[in-house]
Amino acid sequence: MSDAPITYASAGVDVEAGDRAVELMKASVRRATRPEVLGGLGGFAGMFDASALARMTRPVLATSTDGVGTKVAIAQALDVHDTIGFDLVGMVVDDIVVCGAEPLFMTDYIATGKVVPERIAAIVGGIARACEEAGVALVGGETAEHPGLLDPEEYDVAGAATGVVEHAAVLGPHRVADGDVVVALASSGLHSNGYSLVRRVVSSAGWALDRHVDDFGRTLGEELLEPTRLYTRPLLEIIADDGVDVHALSHVTGGGLAANLARVLPTGTFARLDRSSWTPPAVFRTVQDLGRVPQADIERTLNQGVGFVAVLPEAHADRAIALSEARGIRAWRLGEVTTEERAQADGRIATGLEVVRGAKGVDGGAVQVVGEHPVG
């Protein structure tokens, strides 16, 4: 037994490294703010002036929390840490927009085996830039050093955000009507779901992350690390537009397109989506072919090129598509909504194909995806 004193540092926790990380990230965090933010970085709690809520008729707070899953393993393998923050912000704040709320502020949490100030600052810098793009204030966070639990190069990230919406403006199943159409908004790639499948496929195929893939026009690692698209501001603009009456929104994350759309449809409704309306980007076909992944499985796991969907009246679809594309996000008509009774009577429900009914504990509507994707 050693007689040497045991200190926090010898146990693997470097408090001074954490302080240096905070100093390095200050400039980035300072830009991710809003006028309502009180105080600065380093307090025990982030503070946000909520007096504007008093002027609302019936303000409803919306909150969400999430992480980025095993996509962090790609960032660690490539030693590229300044984009994973976009994935975190996208997974958190874009869930809030689904109910029509404007995200106001966010906090983050990073757990790592060893605090490397430059690495932590890069991660937080990406989170701050994404918050700035989304119009969300980054009001605080925490970095925890967990030696013995995580390897020195390992880390995980998580976050939580809060937004607000007028009760009368809440979006969801209660607004969806027979005859509505479903508009798709394109993803930027894999986003941040299904990486356990993707990493297993790539590993089984023996593909290295530095392998150049002609169909991608870049390396495999660069494609897999493509940041999650942020939809917050474009969607809030569409919701606020006088020419568009959005009924429901769905963020296409874990579970895939059909399951996530079913969550925001009322029971008794049926949405028929047509694969012939879009061609998934090359990365989805590559993963499916390399792993011989069944169609149903890949559609339950990956977004297949659709990052968000909007449900709205048919007469408003073209305006919504134009607004989305004006913000650089390709959009198109993906399908239509009717009552399940009418769909059965009209023969719109294809026999022999899966019908997804609700998801994640939600007793929602029914969704069926039909047709074949055009060859890209």
Side-chain angles (χ1 to χ4, degrees), residues 68-85 87-88 109-116 118-124 127 142-146 149-158 225:
V68 300
T70 61
K71 188 171 183 175
V72 294
I74 306 298
Q76 291 160 22
L78 295 175
D79 196 24
V80 175
H81 311 287
D82 61 349
T83 62
I84 203 73
D87 299 291
L88 178 63
Y109 176 80
I110 304 170
T112 183
K114 179 179 175 58
V115 170
V116 178
E118 293 76 13
R119 184 169 63 207
I120 298 300
I123 297 168
V124 176
I127 296 171
E142 174 71 11
T143 299
E145 200 166 26
H146 292 167
L149 183 62
L150 297 169
D151 289 338
E153 301 303 315
E154 289 183 331
Y155 63 82
D156 196 12
V157 296
L225 206 59

Side-chain angles (χ1 to χ4, degrees), residues 319-342:
R319 175 66 177 168
I321 290 169
L323 289 169
S324 179
E325 296 193 338
R327 291 298 300 261
I329 302 175
R330 190 171 71 86
W332 66 95
R333 295 190 185 209
L334 178 62
E336 66 285 328
V337 178
T338 186
T339 65
E340 190 164 3
E341 181 180 9
R342 179 174 297 176

Side-chain angles (χ1 to χ4, degrees), residues 186-202:
S187 69
S188 57
L190 296 171
H191 285 183
S192 297
N193 298 103
Y195 272 76
S196 294
L197 171 66
V198 173
R199 290 168 53 243
R200 177 66 178 273
V201 166
V202 168

Side-chain angles (χ1 to χ4, degrees), residues 302-325:
L302 305 179
N303 68 61
Q304 293 293 93
V306 180
F308 238 96
V309 291
V311 183
L312 67 171
E314 194 278 336
H316 299 180
D318 288 344
R319 175 66 177 168
I321 290 169
L323 289 169
S324 179
E325 296 193 338

Side-chain angles (χ1 to χ4, degrees), residues 64 66-67 87-93 95 191-193 228 251 253:
S64 176
D66 209 340
D87 299 291
L88 178 63
V89 173
M91 290 298 99
V92 174
V93 304
D95 274 3
H191 285 183
S192 297
N193 298 103
T228 298
H251 193 188
T253 54

Side-chain angles (χ1 to χ4, degrees), residues 16-309:
E16 291 182 358
D19 291 340
R20 291 197 300 275
V22 172
E23 288 299 320
L24 290 174
M25 69 178 72
K26 272 186 174 180
S28 296
V29 175
R30 195 175 294 120
R31 292 193 295 270
T33 191
R34 291 171 57 116
E36 301 95 334
V37 174
L38 304 176
L41 190 67
F44 283 89
M47 295 186 293
F48 191 91
D49 184 350
S51 58
L53 274 61
R55 296 191 290 273
M56 299 177 68
T57 302
R58 187 181 175 186
V60 175
L61 295 179
T63 186
S64 176
T65 185
D66 209 340
V68 300
T70 61
K71 188 171 183 175
V72 294
I74 306 298
Q76 291 160 22
L78 295 175
D79 196 24
V80 175
H81 311 287
D82 61 349
T83 62
I84 203 73
F86 279 80
D87 299 291
L88 178 63
V89 173
M91 290 298 99
V92 174
V93 304
D94 282 341
D95 274 3
I96 288 176
V97 179
V98 167
C99 66
E102 177 188 3
L104 300 174
F105 56 84
M106 178 171 175
T107 56
D108 65 75
Y109 176 80
I110 304 170
T112 183
K114 179 179 175 58
V115 170
V116 178
E118 293 76 13
R119 184 169 63 207
I120 298 300
I123 297 168
V124 176
I127 296 171
R129 287 194 302 276
C131 283
E132 184 179 8
E133 181 178 322
V136 180
L138 183 60
V139 297
E142 174 71 11
T143 299
E145 200 166 26
H146 292 167
L149 183 62
L150 297 169
D151 289 338
E153 301 303 315
E154 289 183 331
Y155 63 82
D156 196 12
V157 296
T162 298
V164 66
V165 59
E166 282 279 11
H167 182 269
V170 171
L171 306 181
H174 61 288
R175 291 178 176 265
V176 176
D178 183 9
D180 280 354
V181 298
V182 181
V183 169
L185 280 69
S187 69
S188 57
L190 296 171
H191 285 183
S192 297
N193 298 103
Y195 272 76
S196 294
L197 171 66
V198 173
R199 290 168 53 243
R200 177 66 178 273
V201 166
V202 168
S203 175
S204 297
W207 281 27
L209 292 177
D210 61 358
R211 178 190 183 114
H212 186 274
V213 182
D214 290 342
D215 284 345
F216 303 162
R218 53 183 172 177
T219 67
L220 173 64
E222 289 169 334
E223 180 69 28
L224 298 187
L225 206 59
E226 177 68 29
T228 298
R229 170 166 279 153
L230 301 178
Y231 297 91
T232 298
R233 277 184 163 163
L235 285 173
L236 289 175
E237 289 182 6
I238 292 173
I239 293 169
D241 190 87
D242 290 337
V244 180
D245 180 19
V246 177
H247 288 167
L249 293 171
S250 181
H251 193 188
V252 183
T253 54
L257 173 58
N260 280 291
L261 175 57
R263 294 167 67 187
V264 300
L265 297 179
T267 56
T269 57
F270 171 78
R272 178 184 169 105
L273 309 182
D274 190 354
R275 294 188 189 93
S276 69
S277 65
W278 89 101
T279 300
V283 64
F284 298 98
R285 184 182 66 251
T286 298
V287 170
Q288 185 172 11
D289 291 348
L290 274 182
R292 301 181 301 281
V293 183
Q295 183 73 22
D297 195 70
I298 200 162
E299 289 185 342
R300 281 194 298 264
T301 309
L302 305 179
N303 68 61
Q304 293 293 93
V306 180
F308 238 96
V309 291

